[in-house]
Structures are given as structure tokens and as C-alpha cells.
């Protein structure tokens, strides 16, 4: 059995990945500083899978504790989710983002080197591409992130590239996620944002459940079919399974690989509202506002490389994403609180 260290394991995507790892018979050691999550998510993962996993509250900025975990558990690989992810906050507090996301990863890599662990799957983002003219986005597009969060992801990608150039026995997989949404089908784990959600689907779900009065649609004058922004939403369970495929196809080799994880299909804000109304039976009230600064009109992936090399493709459609997001939100109106 392979033993995997999952950083950010109590978070939204991390908890879903822990669940899929347990189902695939991996042994899981999760760490998190709980700055944006709660240990309740992993209690529920244990309930759903009827399997156990180890959790330690560790901050990536604490080198000593990090090293202790890596030397105690002889892990075969690391899946690195831990990081701060709010674009707006990263503009207000850039140093916090660079410290946490970049220095945190440097500490992790240093501890991995000390303990001879050389396989890492890193959570990158389509945000590293910035605003681009040509769609779909392929992995070899020029990187031009336009905020500190995106630049922290680009910087970590470059650091990992340099580590590989230093020692080609490393095995590094950079996964660039498009827009992760939805929840596990059990309705027991899902996205539990602190405060008002920044992202579209959790916002819609909170309008549907009556926590927020209406959605603000950021612009209906984009050059898209209905004027609203188009994105490539991907079910969090599909995304989590992408990590397992990355581990399974790469764990015993070495190399440096980058993959987009998306569905390759664009969905507009209005299409998402309609899909959510259909599955929830709730009316989503909205008003049209100005465009949000920094938003692009359209963004979707070319994920053929992941399909060819990892044998991975997203299975779930927008309806299933909305159905599972609604199931989670209606069973847990206040998230894990
Ligand atoms: P999340 O906030 O739910 O999970 C991240 C976890 O990392 C949280 O539990 C947080 O407490 C933990 N964390 C943060 N800093 C830490 C530190 N210094 N030490 C230990 N733990 C720390 O976010 P998520 O949506 O699950 O995202 C997971 C990863 O995927 C992040 O790196 C994020 O940037 C990336 N990503 C997310 C999205 C998205 O839209 N959700 C898109 C692309 C990439
Ligand atoms: N939108 C609204 N109202 C809202 C929230 C969003 O109309 O309240 C619109 C946006 O304008 C955009 C679409 O819904 O057209 C999706 O917005 P999200 O905020 O859900 O997602 P983004 O594509 O803007 O970006 C997010 C993160 C990025 C990350 C990207 C992919 O902010 O950093 O997902 O993972 F790269």
C-alpha cells in the first residue's frame, strides 16, 4: 500500500481527494493549519469511507513540525493542496500570499529532500494563464498571471521546475485546475467558505438556501452567447480522481509534467443559474452589476494531454455539479459550522 501525505487535507478539494485516496486503498496522512477549514471534513470522510486516516495540525511555515511529520511517516508521495486562494485578498495582502504559498512550498520541498521523498503533485490553477485571446487553453500557453495569488502559483511551478532540473530523479506533476465546483454525492462534504463566497456556484447555492438575497451577475455585456462570463467548471470528485490518476501513472517513474484539469466545455453565468434552478426547484434572484475587475470573458481548457497521458477525463456534467452542490448546501446550510 502506498502512503501519501496530503497538505491542505481538511480543505475543500483536499478532503475530497483524501476520500478518493482512501477508496483507492492508499494510506493517508493529512496535514493542515486549519486557517480556512475544519477537521470536521475529515471526520466525515472517515464516516463515508469507513476507513481511517491520520491528521496533524501543522503549518507549512513551521519547518520543525513539517520535518517531524515527514520523518515519522515514510511517505511515498505528497499531494500539495495547502495554500491561500482568494484573489482579492492577495491584492490587499501580497506578502501574506507569497509567504504562505511560496515560502510554505519551499519549506515543504526542503523537508521532502531531507526525508528523500521526491514525488509531488501540486495544485496549480488556470489563473497562471491570465487573460488570453485563444481558447481552449493548452499547457504550453504563455503564463501571464495578473494578481499576486496567480503569481504565487506561477512562482511555485518555476521552483518545482528548478528542483527537477537540479535532480531529474524527482517526479513532479503540476495540475492546473479550471473551476472546481460541486460536492461529494453523499452531501456530507463540500465547500464551506468563510463569510460571503467569492465564487459563483457557492454564491448561487447560498441564494437558493435563503442565506443571501440575490446573486450579483458581474456583467452581461461580454462577447459571449448570452453576454455573461464563460468558465470551465469541473466537478470536485472528477478533479480529485485526476490526482489519483496522476499518482498512479507517475508514482514509480520520474519526470516533470503539467496537465490542465477541466472539462473542455464552457458554461455561462446564466446557464449555471438555469441549471441550478432546474435541479433545486428554487428561483435564483439576480441583478446585473458592472463587470468585476480582472475577469475575462471566456476561459476553458484543452484537457487532451491529461486524457492521453493519464487516461483521465471528467465524467460529470453541469447538472450533476449543481445537483451535488445543492445536496451539500441544503443538508448543511452553514457548512461545517
Ligand atoms: P481550501 O482553502 O479549502 O483548502 C486549502 C487548505 O490549505 C485549507 O484547509 C487551509 O487551511 C490550508 N492551508 C493554507 N495555508 C496553509 C499553511 N501555511 N499550512 C497548512 N495548511 C494551510 O482551498 P481549495 O479550494 O481546497 O484549494 C486547494 C488548492 O487548490 C489550493 O492550493 C488552491 O490554490 C488550489 N486551487 C483551487 C481552486 C478553487 O477554485 N477552489 C482553483 C485552482 C487551484
Ligand atoms: N460571477 C458572478 N457573480 C459572482 C461570482 C462570479 O457573476 O458573485 C461570475 C464571474 O464574473 C465569472 C464567473 O461567474 O464570469 C465565475 O467566477 P468565479 O469567481 O466563480 O471564478 P473565476 O473564474 O473568476 O476564478 C476563480 C478563481 C481563480 C481561479 C479560477 C479557476 O478566482 O483564481 O477560479 O480555478 F483561477
Amino acid at each position: 500500500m502506498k502512503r501519501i501525505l496530503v497538505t491542505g487535507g481538511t480543505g475543500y478539494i483536499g478532503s475530497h481527494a483524501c476520500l478518493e485516496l482512501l477508496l483507492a486503498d492508499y494510506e493517508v496522512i493529512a496535514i493542515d493549519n486549519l486557517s480556512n477549514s475544519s477537521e470536521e471534513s475529515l471526520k466525515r470522510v472517515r464516516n463515508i469511507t469507513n476507513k481511517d486516516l491520520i491528521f496533524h495540525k501543522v503549518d507549512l511555515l513551521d519547518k520543525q513540525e513539517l520535518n517531524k511529520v515527514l520523518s515519522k511517516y515514510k511517505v511515498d508521495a505528497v499531494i500539495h493542496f495547502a495554500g491561500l486562494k482568494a484573489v482579492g485578498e492577495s491584492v490587499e495582502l501580497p506578502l501574506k500570499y507569497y509567504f504562505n504559498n511560496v515560502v510554505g512550498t519551499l519549506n515543504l520541498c526542503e523537508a521532502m529532500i531531507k526525508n528523500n521523498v521526491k514525488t509531488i503533485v501540486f495544485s496549480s490553477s488556470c489563473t497562471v494563464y491570465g487573460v488570453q485571446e485563444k481558447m481552449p487553453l493548452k499547457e504550453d500557453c504563455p503564463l501571464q498571471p495578473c494578481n499576486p495569488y496567480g503569481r504565487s502559483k506561477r512562482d511555485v511551478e518555476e521552483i518545482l521546475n528548478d528542483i527537477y532540473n537540479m535532480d531529474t530523479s524527482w517526479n513532479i506533476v503540476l495540475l492546473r485546475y479550471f473551476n472546481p465546483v460541486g460536492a461529494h454525492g453523499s452531501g456530507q462534504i463540500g465547500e464551506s467558505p468563510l463569510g460571503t463566497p467569492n465564487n459563483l456556484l457557492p454564491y448561487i447555492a447560498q441564494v437558493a438556501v435563503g442565506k443571501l438575497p440575490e446573486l450579483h451577475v458581474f456583467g452581461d455585456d461580454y462577447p459571449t452567447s448570452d453576454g455573461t462570463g464563460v468558465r470551465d467548471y469541473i466537478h470536485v470528485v472528477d478533479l480529485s480522481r485526476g490526482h489519483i490518476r496522476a499518482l498512479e501513472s507517475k508514482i514509480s517513474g520520474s519526470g516533470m509534467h503539467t496537465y490542465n484539469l477541466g472539462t473542455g466545455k464552457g458554461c455561462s453565468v446564466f446557464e449555471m443559474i438555469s441549471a441550478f434552478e432546474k435541479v433545486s426547484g428554487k428561483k435564483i434572484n439576480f441583478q446585473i452589476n458592472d463587470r468585476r475587475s480582472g475577469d475575462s470573458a471566456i476561459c476553458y481548457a484543452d484537457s487532451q494531454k491529461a486524457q492521453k497521458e493519464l487516461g483521465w477525463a471528467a465524467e460529470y456534467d453541469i447538472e450533476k455539479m449543481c445537483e451535488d452542490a445543492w445536496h451539500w448546501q441544503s443538508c448543511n446550510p452553514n457548512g461545517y459550522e
Side-chain angles (χ1 to χ4, degrees), residues 28-72:
V28 178
I29 321 296
I31 59 171
D32 202 296
N33 66 0
L34 303 179
S35 59
N36 195 38
S37 56
S38 130
E39 216 187 319
E40 176 65 20
S41 62
L42 295 184
K43 289 191 186 141
R44 298 188 184 189
V45 166
R46 291 187 187 97
N47 275 344
I48 300 166
T49 58
N50 214 12
K51 292 186 176 194
D52 204 6
L53 79 175
I54 292 165
F55 174 71
H56 288 285
K57 185 177 175 198
V58 175
D59 194 316
L60 292 188
L61 297 178
D62 184 341
K63 286 185 179 194
Q64 236 180 349
E65 285 303 309
L66 195 53
N67 195 46
K68 256 196 222 163
V69 170
L70 272 145
S71 56
K72 178 167 178 191

Side-chain angles (χ1 to χ4, degrees), residues 85 87 125-128 147 149 177-180 197-201 203 215-219 222 228-231 233 269 292 295-297:
K85 62 167 183 178
V87 173
S125 167
C126 66
T127 200
V128 296
N147 54 62
Y149 165 67
Y177 313 155
F178 279 66
N179 290 50
N198 293 314
N199 300 115
L200 181 65
L201 199 55
Y203 203 112
L215 172 73
H216 302 268
V217 174
F218 298 140
Y222 282 108
T228 63
V230 168
R231 296 290 182 275
Y233 298 94
V269 175
R292 183 170 64 180
D295 272 1
S296 58

Side-chain angles (χ1 to χ4, degrees), residues 21 25 61 72 88 101 107 141 172 212 274 298 300 336:
L21 284 165
D25 275 337
L61 297 178
K72 178 167 178 191
N101 294 0
N107 291 345
C141 282
I172 299 173
L212 292 169
S274 299
I298 306 184
Y300 60 95
Y336 293 115

Side-chain angles (χ1 to χ4, degrees), residues 177-229:
Y177 313 155
F178 279 66
N179 290 50
V181 294
H184 186 254
S186 63
Q188 289 194 54
I189 59 169
E191 190 169 9
S192 180
L194 296 176
T196 308
N198 293 314
N199 300 115
L200 181 65
L201 199 55
Y203 203 112
I204 291 179
Q206 293 200 9
V207 172
V209 87
K211 284 187 77 178
L212 292 169
E214 61 187 355
L215 172 73
H216 302 268
V217 174
F218 298 140
D220 66 348
D221 57 352
Y222 282 108
T224 59
S225 58
D226 60 20
T228 63

